[in-house]
């Protein structure tokens, strides 16, 4: 078990891995365009990183190497969830208000976008919410 943190700084994004018993840093994976959000595969074999721009990265656990990257299917990916079958990653894209679906391969890497759903609407504060914005995605554990 490890604590994994998505971190973004002036030099780009990184995953920082900590030992939960000691809080000592064990590893840092650099080379990400950004690192705004994380989702863990239920098998524990991968984590998925949203760069906060327009890309997703799959990272292998426990060696923390980047398995691959895919376009997020929208603008500003900010939240992700692995579906209950463990076969798809669903991403909420904040700026474009799009929900995007990528298949998860046998190696736990991400395949190309297979579905996208555009959310229409606006928020109650017209001067800053003239269009819809997605904030989070999750699956109902009862269904």
């Amino acid at each position: 078990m490890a604590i994994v943190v998505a971190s973004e700084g002036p030099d780009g994004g990184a995953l920082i891995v900590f030992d939960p018993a000691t809080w000592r840093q064990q590893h840092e994976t650099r080379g990400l365009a950004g690192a705004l959000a994380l989702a863990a595969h239920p098998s524990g074999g991968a984590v998925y990183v949203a760069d906060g721009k327009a890309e997703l990265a799959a990272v292998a656990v426990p060696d923390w190497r980047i398995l691959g990257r895919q376009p997020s299917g929208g603008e500003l990916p900010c939240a992700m969830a692995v579906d209950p079958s463990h076969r798809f990653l669903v991403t909420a894209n904040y700026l474009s208000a799009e929900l995007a679906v990528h298949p998860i391969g046998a190696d736990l890497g991400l395949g190309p976008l297979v579905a996208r759903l555009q959310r229409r609407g606006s928020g109650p504060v017209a001067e800053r919410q003239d269009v819809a914005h997605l904030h989070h995605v999750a699956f109902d554990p009862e269904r």
Side-chain angles (χ1 to χ4, degrees):
M1 179 187 214
I3 297 170
V4 183
V5 176
S7 174
E8 188 164 347
D11 297 327
L15 287 183
I16 303 171
V17 181
F18 295 94
D19 180 314
T22 65
W23 286 93
R24 288 199 173 116
Q25 183 173 327
Q26 294 178 317
H27 182 80
E28 186 169 343
T29 298
R30 293 182 175 266
L32 302 168
L36 182 64
L38 290 172
H41 192 275
S43 71
V47 294
Y48 304 101
V49 185
D51 73 356
K53 293 160 183 64
E55 185 177 82
L56 306 176
V59 179
V61 176
D63 62 356
W64 307 105
R65 65 185 162 79
I66 298 172
L67 292 169
R69 304 168 197 261
Q70 289 289 337
S72 70
E75 294 178 63
L76 193 61
C78 63
M80 300 167 293
V82 176
D83 85 304
S85 76
H86 307 173
R87 295 175 37 226
F88 297 96
L89 181 74
V90 179
T91 303
N93 289 284
Y94 178 82
L95 285 179
S96 59
E98 292 172 289
L99 204 57
V101 181
H102 290 81
I104 297 173
D107 68 347
L108 302 182
L110 297 174
L113 182 73
V114 294
R116 185 177 357 203
L117 175 68
Q118 177 76 50
R119 173 78 170 114
R120 305 275 183 224
S122 61
V125 183
E127 60 271 4
R128 69 175 184 81
Q129 297 174 320
D130 57 335
V131 297
H133 296 290
L134 302 184
H135 292 264
H136 192 68
V137 61
F139 287 91
D140 181 347
E142 301 298 319
R143 295 181 183 234

